[in-house]
Amino acid sequence: MGREEDRTTVGVVGCGYWGPNHIRNMLSLEASGTVHMKAAVDPDPARRLRIRDLYPQIEVSDGVAAVFSDPDVDAVVLSTPTGTHFRLAGEALRAGKHVLVEKPLATSIAHCEELIRLAAEHELVLMVGHTFEYTAAVNTIQGLVAEGALGEVLYVRSLRVNLGLHRRDVNVLWDLAPHDISIIRFVLDAEPTHVTASGNANVTAGIEDIVSLNLHFGEKAMANVIVSWLDPRKVREMTFVGTRKMLVYDDVAAAEKIRIFDKGVDRPSEYDSFGEFPFAYRYGDILSPKLDDYEPLREQSSHFIDCIRLGKRPRSDGESGLAVVRALAAAQISLRNDGRKVALADPAVLDVEGSGAPPFAD
Amino acid sequence: MGREEDRTTVGVVGCGYWGPNHIRNMLSLEASGTVHMKAAVDPDPARRLRIRDLYPQIEVSDGVAAVFSDPDVDAVVLSTPTGTHFRLAGEALRAGKHVLVEKPLATSIAHCEELIRLAAEHELVLMVGHTFEYTAAVNTIQGLVAEGALGEVLYVRSLRVNLGLHRRDVNVLWDLAPHDISIIRFVLDAEPTHVTASGNANVTAGIEDIVSLNLHFGEKAMANVIVSWLDPRKVREMTFVGTRKMLVYDDVAAAEKIRIFDKGVDRPSEYDSFGEFPFAYRYGDILSPKLDDYEPLREQSSHFIDCIRLGKRPRSDGESGLAVVRALAAAQISLRNDGRKVALADPAVLDVEGSGAPPFAD
Amino acid sequence: MGREEDRTTVGVVGCGYWGPNHIRNMLSLEASGTVHMKAAVDPDPARRLRIRDLYPQIEVSDGVAAVFSDPDVDAVVLSTPTGTHFRLAGEALRAGKHVLVEKPLATSIAHCEELIRLAAEHELVLMVGHTFEYTAAVNTIQGLVAEGALGEVLYVRSLRVNLGLHRRDVNVLWDLAPHDISIIRFVLDAEPTHVTASGNANVTAGIEDIVSLNLHFGEKAMANVIVSWLDPRKVREMTFVGTRKMLVYDDVAAAEKIRIFDKGVDRPSEYDSFGEFPFAYRYGDILSPKLDDYEPLREQSSHFIDCIRLGKRPRSDGESGLAVVRALAAAQISLRNDGRKVALADPAVLDVEGSGAPPFAD
Amino acid sequence: MGREEDRTTVGVVGCGYWGPNHIRNMLSLEASGTVHMKAAVDPDPARRLRIRDLYPQIEVSDGVAAVFSDPDVDAVVLSTPTGTHFRLAGEALRAGKHVLVEKPLATSIAHCEELIRLAAEHELVLMVGHTFEYTAAVNTIQGLVAEGALGEVLYVRSLRVNLGLHRRDVNVLWDLAPHDISIIRFVLDAEPTHVTASGNANVTAGIEDIVSLNLHFGEKAMANVIVSWLDPRKVREMTFVGTRKMLVYDDVAAAEKIRIFDKGVDRPSEYDSFGEFPFAYRYGDILSPKLDDYEPLREQSSHFIDCIRLGKRPRSDGESGLAVVRALAAAQISLRNDGRKVALADPAVLDVEGSGAPPFAD
């Protein structure tokens, strides 16, 4: 183990659903001598009691001041409601703390840009919890696409649905689609240029619980993403259609999360208007590659600590968080305008503020 | 068995993929004494030879004239390319034959209306091969919705994808979505009011092979339909989300094609802005009802013959075929206009002609 | 097409469940000019009528005499109840006809040997309908094992269960296990040396409807086979555990019928009583090879005709049929003797007569 | 919360695979004020360090003396190798501690009886960790069978296989089959009368890694259990065939762990030798009941504490542990004697000592 002064001291803000997982993973990093999981914050007494029972060694408080003003604390993890990200991350950065914040980074482009600016000014790490970018499955897919194993990716289809918590502070687009957008950007290594989105608010007026989102990547590729809180089964399934191979990624499968289909259609080299169906179909083997078995949140926590200690830029940095918010903001405009196609470069995207929820629900 | 003059004499036009199935089913109805499967037509010699080998008792010819001018023939089944439906169905009706035509009925609203008019004028049965309306699964779902077992249906999600034949005469919207539209209309007993559609033409320029279609039923319900010829797996899956229960219909499952989930979210009776999540979630049993086991095409053939013999209106009549084409035409406009929302009542829908394929592909 | 005198003329005896499939496949071979599907026999008038309706070109009669005494008929397919195999195959061979008989070949070793002797004496083909030996899946597995891709096969597990027809003439061992025994012999290229069998007769007294059968291949390998007519689901699943790889074959899967797991345990080269767990586990990729898509019964029919025309010995010849019956007879002894281990070389096996059904059920 | 003196103080012996789960569950019971999770024991320094890191509040020692002689400790949980159960449980009971011991209770009938005697003599709770008896799934099945919903259970089939740890101290029968035997006894509320078992030792000489076990319940019912450490997939599947309904329990399914099939065969009331197949098959709906969602080990821990505090007899008491060991001992004789049928009442069963492993592997 390293000396105490060598360790990165961490505070976790928000002990609801994800917070305790952050604490547990940071604690498991203590064994390597690089981390000291010191403090946790939550306004809710029951949650604080639960943390104390489980981990009596951690300092628990009811407000962020105790952590943000503690000179021992080097870094904070924010797992708080979306609407608080901008304010809390800003305070933490201004207090000189490295910040890992849950997705989405903030609820407007301007807020994202301000956080990026603050991190740069104070020379601090700003990282967004795009957790799927730290899974073995998504990294395997990204590697396959990068090395051309699928050929050119023409189409991505994603289904992320379940009977879910109907939130008041964000709609299902802002709640679930950040995962899809961050995965697709990471795998394709490309930015969407246009989006269309349609949806319905079935349970709470004004808050969509079902959204169908199309991401267009210029003329190159298209992705369809369906997110829903109103579905009988939990489905987390993405299909990547390439010119050479196709891939299905089923995140809820216990085994064979990824299957690569040696299937495809070979386009004729030149268009032959006389011949019929001059395509060669390929139906080949199916390969399910072995994936490393680790907890993605631990990989993400470890990456955050590495970036702090080695002065590296995180894979899911502020710019990445901004790109996801830009796509969400454009989709939000489409969603509220009959599904019309919205360019991410459209100036109206800059004006989107909020996260799909009506103001009174803040 | 009935006397010969009591039987409905049938000719099948088009012996490609579906034609032989129509012939086989009509032959199996001969045993009941109601049908005489007399003649088959195909311009392709190899197909004619195949029919002759299998069924030497059937008269096989290379053109429709032999059948349309045969006074013995009471009814024809048209399983020919989409672009020929209007012309051939029109000729058959004018020749006094009852007509069962494969979906879609025609490629424009005007053509559909003309066929409906002709059938009425000649007092003949005009039926469209919306085969899924004759499956045990879809009829079970329709019954459950009609009796209110699912409550109000809020949302339908359909996935109809596989690595498919890339056609030159229709795009994937006109090829596959007629099934989804006819099923959803039949189950919801409602007409879509607006549609949006996005897609990509990956293999053949100008012919979309992937389309995401949204059907809006006023403020009441929404359906998302994804059709694709470019997918590694064959998926035929529909999810119906109701206020009381949810239902998943997997048409490629060997068993348990339908599962009814006693799951849902109970909306609060009045909006309570103070309480958080005043919803009651229900997670209950899952029931997979036993379905009758029969071949849908045989049921459809039998219904066609019944309608002829009893003077009944078919379940999937000309009006039903027209309604499907109207939705396709509106979707086609949206598809070619950046996914903008198109009302089915929009006059521009009347001008759509073709089936998603560029003119030169006719 | 060949000249008429060049064709092999075929009669099918028994038009119940499998007979019509034999007829259909023989008819489809007519196109190649090698087969003439001439006659069918069944004592049941309804079945004869059904064949006449479907295939008016076939001569249909109510007794075997018409076919066995027809000098035009070169070969017969027997798809009749197990108890009739010996008598009918014997008559056909004595009448100079090549014989393809459904499994099992007969109900005693002596009967099998007599049929083999008759076929040799008359220089005729005697083939048993071990249909699975003609599937793409089983041939792929056999090829993988033969080339050593799985290493040494240590263990085979087979599950062949469903809610099935409770037969009166055979128990579930004689009804279903011939498939497993023929597949395992074919794949391992080895004969079982000993068997044990346990079972229960739940529905009909004296006729087991559930049997667990163990086949021992000397010290080399072991196979467990469970056959049942009393199971809620249809399962046809075999697992082959090799020293290098493992393979799962799911015959009811629509896709991915075979999956090869690069998983195993490497035994230490010498036994080390001090070290704990000196085994290296391998968890690797999973590969689902593409299988050719054809109807196994057509492949089997075609093989039968080829053997007749080219004077070849069938893959599933009389000796193969005898080997399966020998294993069944030994298992029958174990089943009726508290599951004790029975050697296939045990002289008592020669005395087994019948097929698991009490005499009065004949 | 209760006063300190009211709490049951617990020590956990063995911190390998299951030990930490026992500790975590006992800690979670502390919140109810009934438990004090005080001490943990393991001879391995790395395991002790891990416990200290996770739970600094727990006293950790390298031998049982510290716990067995601690007057504060009321109860111990033993999750140590099978071969140590008898000695450690005996010491603990003689030291006046209540004991929860992992399955199997011991390695001979005499040892089990001695532990039962000790517990009775000292008026202490002796409980065996038959964890599945505390799952929602098994309790649901037990309830359905008890109320007659399945009718008379004729047959049980269980498959418990995976690529597993090849143990040196027990064979796969003693490692995995205790689960099946305890579940089947619990669900059927009956004791097996006879067993047969066949198996193979593929990896380590003398230690079977694949076993097929048949349990006979008089003339009433039969169960087949297959356990294996040498299988490509993890399968935990049990099928219960009743006269009224059939049930499949898939423990590795994320959802729909239990499915009840309204399928069956109605036996004719009297035997009719003239009619053919006088059975009525039922193919009906399939129901997957909602199961409560809790951690079985927590339920088991809670039951142990309740029994101590309320002086109750545990569901899986010493007698239950003995019954499982009796079946294992009889199966061990069959396994080593060519699969011959062994009565549980056979005196030879009393002489079985060990757990399927050769003596040198102790």
Side-chain angles (χ1 to χ4, degrees):
Chain A
M1 275 207 204
R3 290 175 307 160
E4 277 208 7
E5 57 267 39
D6 284 348
R7 301 192 300 177
T8 302
T9 298
V10 175
V12 170
V13 179
C15 301
Y17 184 63
W18 268 112
N21 287 321
H22 281 292
I23 293 170
R24 180 174 47 78
N25 276 288
M26 287 295 175
L27 278 173
S28 79
L29 290 173
E30 285 203 355
S32 66
T34 56
V35 170
H36 177 211
M37 173 61 230
K38 185 181 184 190
V41 178
D42 202 285
D44 181 53
R47 288 175 177 173
R48 288 201 303 274
L49 192 64
R50 187 170 155 235
I51 299 299
R52 268 195 204 103
D53 274 350
L54 278 169
Y55 311 110
Q57 69 271 39
I58 293 179
E59 294 174 12
V60 179
S61 54
D62 62 357
V64 293
V67 168
F68 289 180
S69 65
D70 180 344
D72 279 0
V73 170
D74 303 304
V76 297
V77 179
L78 302 175
S79 55
T80 57
T82 303
T84 68
H85 289 180
F86 172 63
R87 181 173 56 81
L88 293 177
E91 283 182 36
L93 290 168
R94 275 186 292 262
K97 313 301 185 196
H98 302 284
V99 170
L100 166 56
V101 58
E102 279 304 330
K103 53 86 208 165
L105 173 53
T107 57
S108 75
I109 290 175
H111 284 177
C112 292
E113 288 175 338
E114 169 68 2
L115 293 176
I116 291 169
R117 198 194 56 72
L118 275 172
E121 179 186 312
H122 295 272
E123 297 188 341
L124 293 164
V125 171
L126 172 64
M127 177 165 152
V128 188
H130 295 161
T131 309
F132 280 94
E133 296 185 34
Y134 301 91
T135 60
V138 170
N139 279 278
T140 297
I141 300 169
Q142 186 271 337
L144 288 165
V145 169
E147 76 190 34
L150 303 192
E152 185 194 346
V153 175
L154 302 171
Y155 180 62
V156 181
R157 183 159 52 72
S158 185
L159 200 51
R160 189 173 304 275
V161 304
N162 57 291
L163 184 57
L165 208 56
H166 283 255
R167 297 176 63 168
R168 284 279 177 84
D169 62 332
V170 294
N171 64 8
V172 74
L173 174 75
W174 287 77
D175 181 34
L176 294 182
H179 291 310
D180 304 286
I181 299 169
S182 72
I183 294 169
I184 294 169
R185 283 183 71 249
F186 178 57
V187 167
L188 300 191
D189 193 21
E191 296 296 336
T193 53
H194 298 79
V195 300
T196 66
S198 291
N200 251 28
N202 293 291
V203 174
T204 309
I207 301 187
E208 287 84 1
D209 37 36
I210 291 172
V211 169
S212 168
L213 167 69
N214 295 298
L215 302 166
H216 296 270
F217 292 80
E219 294 301 302
K220 237 183 69 176
M222 171 184 163
N224 175 262
V225 174
I226 293 181
V227 286
S228 169
W229 290 329
L230 211 54
D231 214 275
R233 297 172 306 161
K234 182 175 183 180
V235 183
R236 300 284 184 265
E237 196 175 86
M238 303 185 80
T239 301
F240 295 82
V241 172
T243 48
R244 294 190 53 213
K245 295 195 177 177
M246 302 181 181
L247 185 151
V248 173
Y249 159 38
D250 179 354
D251 194 61
V252 301
E256 300 181 57
K257 277 187 198 296
I258 291 181
R259 286 183 299 160
I260 305 162
F261 295 74
D262 189 5
K263 275 191 174 181
V265 183
D266 296 322
R267 270 190 260 197
S269 52
E270 54 180 297
Y271 197 88
D272 171 5
S273 62
F274 297 103
E276 273 204 322
F277 308 125
F279 309 118
Y281 287 81
R282 278 175 296 105
Y283 297 89
D285 296 346
I286 302 168
L287 179 75
S288 181
K290 184 189 171 305
L291 299 179
D292 293 335
D293 191 16
Y294 58 78
E295 184 175 354
L297 200 62
R298 169 143 184 189
E299 182 72 10
Q300 178 183 291
S301 304
S302 176
H303 183 68
F304 179 50
I305 300 298
D306 280 358
C307 289
I308 292 170
R309 298 174 70 85
L310 306 172
K312 289 196 307 179
R313 194 165 191 79
R315 183 183 304 164
S316 54
D317 60 3
E319 296 292 345
S320 166
L322 166 61
V324 167
V325 168
R326 194 187 305 275
L328 292 169
Q332 186 69 17
I333 296 176
S334 180
L335 194 56
R336 298 290 161 83
N337 288 277
D338 284 350
R340 75 168 171 81
K341 201 167 189 172
V342 176
L344 269 75
D346 188 325
V349 175
L350 298 171
D351 298 332
V352 174
E353 162 56 52
S355 46
F360 61 82
D362 270 358
Chain B
M1 275 204 204
R3 289 175 306 160
E4 278 209 6
E5 57 268 40
D6 284 347
R7 301 190 300 176
T8 302
T9 298
V10 175
V12 170
V13 179
C15 300
Y17 183 63
W18 268 110
N21 289 320
H22 280 292
I23 293 170
R24 179 174 48 78
N25 276 288
M26 287 295 176
L27 278 173
S28 78
L29 290 173
E30 285 203 357
S32 66
T34 56
V35 170
H36 176 213
M37 171 64 230
K38 185 182 185 188
V41 178
D42 203 287
D44 180 53
R47 288 176 176 172
R48 289 202 302 275
L49 192 64
R50 188 170 154 234
I51 300 299
R52 271 198 202 100
D53 275 350
L54 278 167
Y55 311 111
Q57 69 270 41
I58 293 178
E59 295 174 12
V60 179
S61 54
D62 62 357
V64 293
V67 168
F68 289 0
S69 65
D70 180 345
D72 280 359
V73 170
D74 303 304
V76 296
V77 179
L78 301 175
S79 56
T80 58
T82 303
T84 67
H85 289 179
F86 172 63
R87 181 173 54 82
L88 293 177
E91 284 182 34
L93 290 168
R94 276 185 292 262
K97 313 301 184 196
H98 302 284
V99 170
L100 167 57
V101 59
E102 280 303 329
K103 53 86 210 165
L105 174 52
T107 57
S108 75
I109 290 175
H111 284 176
C112 292
E113 288 174 338
E114 169 68 3
L115 293 176
I116 292 168
R117 199 194 54 75
L118 275 170
E121 180 186 312
H122 296 270
E123 296 188 343
L124 293 164
V125 170
L126 171 63
M127 176 165 154
V128 188
H130 294 162
T131 309
F132 281 94
E133 295 184 36
Y134 300 91
T135 61
V138 170
N139 278 279
T140 298
I141 300 169
Q142 187 271 338
L144 288 164
V145 169
E147 76 189 34
L150 303 192
E152 182 194 349
V153 176
L154 302 171
Y155 180 62
V156 182
R157 184 158 53 71
S158 184
L159 199 51
R160 190 173 303 275
V161 304
N162 59 290
L163 183 57
L165 209 56
H166 283 255
R167 298 177 62 168
R168 283 278 177 83
D169 62 332
V170 295
N171 63 9
V172 74
L173 174 74
W174 287 76
D175 181 34
L176 295 182
H179 291 309
D180 303 287
I181 299 168
S182 72
I183 294 169
I184 294 169
R185 283 183 71 249
F186 179 57
V187 168
L188 300 191
D189 193 21
E191 297 295 336
T193 53
H194 298 80
V195 300
T196 65
S198 292
N200 252 26
N202 293 292
V203 173
T204 309
I207 301 186
E208 287 83 1
D209 37 35
I210 291 171
V211 168
S212 169
L213 167 70
N214 295 298
L215 303 165
H216 297 269
F217 292 80
E219 294 301 302
K220 237 182 71 176
M222 171 184 164
N224 174 262
V225 173
I226 294 182
V227 285
S228 169
W229 291 329
L230 211 55
D231 214 276
R233 297 172 306 163
K234 182 175 182 178
V235 183
R236 300 285 184 264
E237 198 176 85
M238 302 185 80
T239 302
F240 296 81
V241 173
T243 48
R244 293 190 53 215
K245 294 195 179 178
M246 304 182 180
L247 183 152
V248 174
Y249 160 36
D250 179 355
D251 193 62
V252 300
E256 299 179 60
K257 278 187 198 294
I258 290 181
R259 286 183 298 161
I260 304 161
F261 295 74
D262 189 5
K263 276 189 175 182
V265 183
D266 296 322
R267 270 189 260 196
S269 52
E270 54 180 298
Y271 197 87
D272 171 5
S273 64
F274 297 104
E276 273 203 323
F277 308 124
F279 309 116
Y281 288 82
R282 278 175 296 104
Y283 298 89
D285 296 346
I286 302 168
L287 179 76
S288 181
K290 185 189 169 307
L291 300 178
D292 292 335
D293 191 16
Y294 59 78
E295 183 175 354
L297 199 62
R298 171 145 183 186
E299 181 73 10
Q300 178 183 292
S301 304
S302 176
H303 183 67
F304 178 51
I305 300 299
D306 280 358
C307 288
I308 292 169
R309 297 173 71 87
L310 307 172
K312 290 196 305 179
R313 193 167 192 77
R315 182 183 306 163
S316 54
D317 61 2
E319 295 293 344
S320 165
L322 166 62
V324 168
V325 168
R326 194 188 305 275
L328 292 169
Q332 185 69 18
I333 296 176
S334 179
L335 193 58
R336 298 289 161 83
N337 288 276
D338 285 350
R340 75 169 172 81
K341 202 167 191 171
V342 176
L344 269 73
D346 188 325
V349 175
L350 298 172
D351 299 331
V352 174
E353 163 56 53
S355 47
F360 62 82
D362 267 0
Chain C
M1 275 204 201
R3 290 176 306 161
E4 278 209 6
E5 56 268 40
D6 285 346
R7 301 191 300 176
T8 302
T9 298
V10 175
V12 170
V13 180
C15 301
Y17 183 62
W18 269 111
N21 288 320
H22 280 293
I23 293 170
R24 181 174 47 78
N25 276 288
M26 286 295 176
L27 278 172
S28 78
L29 290 174
E30 285 204 356
S32 67
T34 56
V35 171
H36 177 212
M37 172 63 230
K38 184 181 184 188
V41 178
D42 202 286
D44 180 53
R47 288 175 178 174
R48 288 201 303 275
L49 192 64
R50 188 171 154 233
I51 299 299
R52 269 197 204 102
D53 274 350
L54 278 169
Y55 312 110
Q57 69 270 40
I58 292 179
E59 295 174 10
V60 179
S61 55
D62 63 357
V64 294
V67 168
F68 289 180
S69 65
D70 180 343
D72 280 358
V73 170
D74 303 304
V76 296
V77 179
L78 302 174
S79 55
T80 57
T82 302
T84 68
H85 288 181
F86 172 64
R87 181 174 55 81
L88 293 177
E91 282 182 35
L93 290 167
R94 275 186 293 262
K97 313 301 185 198
H98 302 284
V99 170
L100 166 56
V101 58
E102 278 305 329
K103 53 85 208 165
L105 173 53
T107 58
S108 75
I109 290 174
H111 284 177
C112 292
E113 287 175 339
E114 170 67 1
L115 293 176
I116 291 169
R117 199 194 55 72
L118 275 171
E121 181 185 310
H122 295 272
E123 296 188 342
L124 292 164
V125 170
L126 172 63
M127 177 164 152
V128 188
H130 295 160
T131 309
F132 281 94
E133 297 184 34
Y134 300 91
T135 60
V138 170
N139 278 278
T140 298
I141 300 170
Q142 186 271 337
L144 287 165
V145 169
E147 76 189 35
L150 302 192
E152 184 192 348
V153 175
L154 302 170
Y155 179 63
V156 181
R157 184 158 54 70
S158 185
L159 200 52
R160 190 173 303 276
V161 303
N162 57 292
L163 183 57
L165 208 56
H166 283 256
R167 298 176 61 168
R168 283 279 177 84
D169 62 332
V170 294
N171 63 9
V172 74
L173 174 74
W174 288 77
D175 181 34
L176 294 182
H179 291 308
D180 303 288
I181 299 169
S182 72
I183 294 169
I184 294 170
R185 282 184 72 249
F186 179 58
V187 167
L188 300 191
D189 192 22
E191 297 295 337
T193 53
H194 298 79
V195 300
T196 65
S198 292
N200 252 28
N202 293 292
V203 174
T204 310
I207 301 187
E208 287 84 0
D209 38 35
I210 291 172
V211 169
S212 169
L213 167 69
N214 295 298
L215 302 166
H216 297 269
F217 293 80
E219 295 301 303
K220 238 184 67 177
M222 171 184 165
N224 175 263
V225 173
I226 294 182
V227 285
S228 169
W229 290 329
L230 211 53
D231 214 275
R233 297 172 304 161
K234 181 174 184 180
V235 183
R236 300 286 185 263
E237 196 175 88
M238 303 185 79
T239 302
F240 295 82
V241 172
T243 49
R244 293 190 53 214
K245 295 195 179 179
M246 303 181 180
L247 184 151
V248 173
Y249 159 36
D250 179 355
D251 194 61
V252 300
E256 300 181 58
K257 277 186 196 298
I258 291 181
R259 285 183 298 160
I260 305 162
F261 294 74
D262 189 6
K263 275 190 175 181
V265 184
D266 296 322
R267 269 189 262 196
S269 52
E270 55 180 297
Y271 198 86
D272 170 6
S273 63
F274 297 103
E276 274 203 324
F277 308 125
F279 309 117
Y281 288 81
R282 276 176 297 104
Y283 297 90
D285 295 347
I286 302 168
L287 180 75
S288 180
K290 184 189 169 306
L291 300 179
D292 292 335
D293 191 16
Y294 59 79
E295 184 176 353
L297 200 63
R298 170 143 185 190
E299 181 73 11
Q300 179 182 291
S301 304
S302 176
H303 183 67
F304 179 50
I305 300 298
D306 280 358
C307 289
I308 292 169
R309 298 174 70 86
L310 306 173
K312 288 196 307 178
R313 193 168 193 76
R315 184 183 303 164
S316 54
D317 60 4
E319 295 293 345
S320 166
L322 166 61
V324 167
V325 168
R326 194 187 305 276
L328 292 169
Q332 186 70 16
I333 296 176
S334 179
L335 194 56
R336 297 291 161 82
N337 288 275
D338 284 350
R340 75 167 171 82
K341 201 167 190 170
V342 176
L344 269 74
D346 188 325
V349 175
L350 298 172
D351 299 331
V352 174
E353 162 56 53
S355 46
F360 62 81
D362 270 359
Chain D
M1 275 204 206
R3 289 175 308 161
E4 277 208 7
E5 56 268 40
D6 284 347
R7 303 191 298 176
T8 302
T9 298
V10 175
V12 170
V13 180
C15 299
Y17 183 63
W18 268 111
N21 288 320
H22 280 293
I23 292 170
R24 179 173 49 77
N25 276 288
M26 287 295 176
L27 278 173
S28 78
L29 290 174
E30 285 203 357
S32 66
T34 56
V35 171
H36 176 212
M37 172 63 230
K38 184 181 185 190
V41 178
D42 203 286
D44 180 53
R47 288 175 175 173
R48 289 201 302 274
L49 191 64
R50 189 170 153 234
I51 299 299
R52 269 197 204 102
D53 275 350
L54 278 168
Y55 311 110
Q57 69 270 40
I58 292 178
E59 295 174 12
V60 180
S61 54
D62 61 358
V64 293
V67 168
F68 288 180
S69 66
D70 180 345
D72 279 359
V73 171
D74 302 304
V76 296
V77 179
L78 301 174
S79 57
T80 57
T82 302
T84 68
H85 288 179
F86 172 63
R87 182 173 55 81
L88 293 178
E91 283 182 36
L93 290 168
R94 275 186 292 262
K97 313 301 185 197
H98 301 285
V99 169
L100 167 56
V101 59
E102 279 304 330
K103 53 86 211 164
L105 173 52
T107 58
S108 75
I109 290 174
H111 284 177
C112 292
E113 288 174 337
E114 170 68 3
L115 293 177
I116 291 167
R117 197 194 57 72
L118 275 171
E121 180 186 312
H122 295 271
E123 296 187 343
L124 293 164
V125 170
L126 173 61
M127 176 166 155
V128 189
H130 294 161
T131 309
F132 280 94
E133 295 184 35
Y134 300 91
T135 60
V138 170
N139 278 278
T140 298
I141 300 169
Q142 187 270 337
L144 288 165
V145 169
E147 77 190 32
L150 303 192
E152 182 193 348
V153 176
L154 303 171
Y155 180 63
V156 182
R157 183 158 54 72
S158 185
L159 199 52
R160 190 173 302 275
V161 304
N162 58 291
L163 182 58
L165 208 57
H166 283 256
R167 297 178 62 169
R168 283 280 177 83
D169 62 331
V170 294
N171 64 8
V172 73
L173 174 75
W174 287 77
D175 181 34
L176 295 182
H179 291 309
D180 304 287
I181 299 168
S182 72
I183 294 169
I184 294 169
R185 283 183 71 248
F186 179 57
V187 168
L188 300 190
D189 193 22
E191 297 295 336
T193 54
H194 297 80
V195 300
T196 65
S198 291
N200 251 27
N202 292 293
V203 173
T204 309
I207 302 187
E208 287 84 0
D209 38 36
I210 291 171
V211 169
S212 170
L213 167 70
N214 295 298
L215 302 165
H216 297 270
F217 293 80
E219 294 301 301
K220 239 182 68 177
M222 171 184 163
N224 174 261
V225 174
I226 294 182
V227 285
S228 169
W229 291 330
L230 211 55
D231 215 274
R233 296 172 305 162
K234 181 174 184 179
V235 182
R236 299 285 184 266
E237 197 175 86
M238 303 185 80
T239 302
F240 296 81
V241 172
T243 48
R244 294 191 52 216
K245 294 196 178 177
M246 303 183 181
L247 183 151
V248 174
Y249 159 36
D250 179 355
D251 193 62
V252 301
E256 299 180 60
K257 277 187 197 297
I258 290 180
R259 286 183 299 161
I260 305 162
F261 295 73
D262 189 5
K263 277 190 172 180
V265 183
D266 295 322
R267 271 190 260 197
S269 52
E270 55 181 296
Y271 197 87
D272 171 5
S273 63
F274 297 103
E276 274 204 321
F277 309 125
F279 310 118
Y281 288 82
R282 278 175 296 104
Y283 298 89
D285 296 346
I286 302 168
L287 179 75
S288 181
K290 184 188 170 308
L291 300 178
D292 292 335
D293 191 17
Y294 58 78
E295 184 175 353
L297 199 63
R298 169 142 184 190
E299 181 73 9
Q300 178 183 290
S301 303
S302 175
H303 183 67
F304 179 51
I305 300 298
D306 280 359
C307 289
I308 291 169
R309 298 173 70 87
L310 307 172
K312 289 198 305 181
R313 193 166 193 79
R315 181 184 306 164
S316 53
D317 61 3
E319 295 293 344
S320 166
L322 166 61
V324 167
V325 168
R326 195 187 305 275
L328 291 170
Q332 185 70 17
I333 295 175
S334 179
L335 194 57
R336 298 290 161 83
N337 288 276
D338 284 350
R340 76 169 171 81
K341 202 167 190 171
V342 176
L344 268 74
D346 188 326
V349 175
L350 298 170
D351 299 330
V352 174
E353 162 56 52
S355 46
F360 62 82
D362 269 358

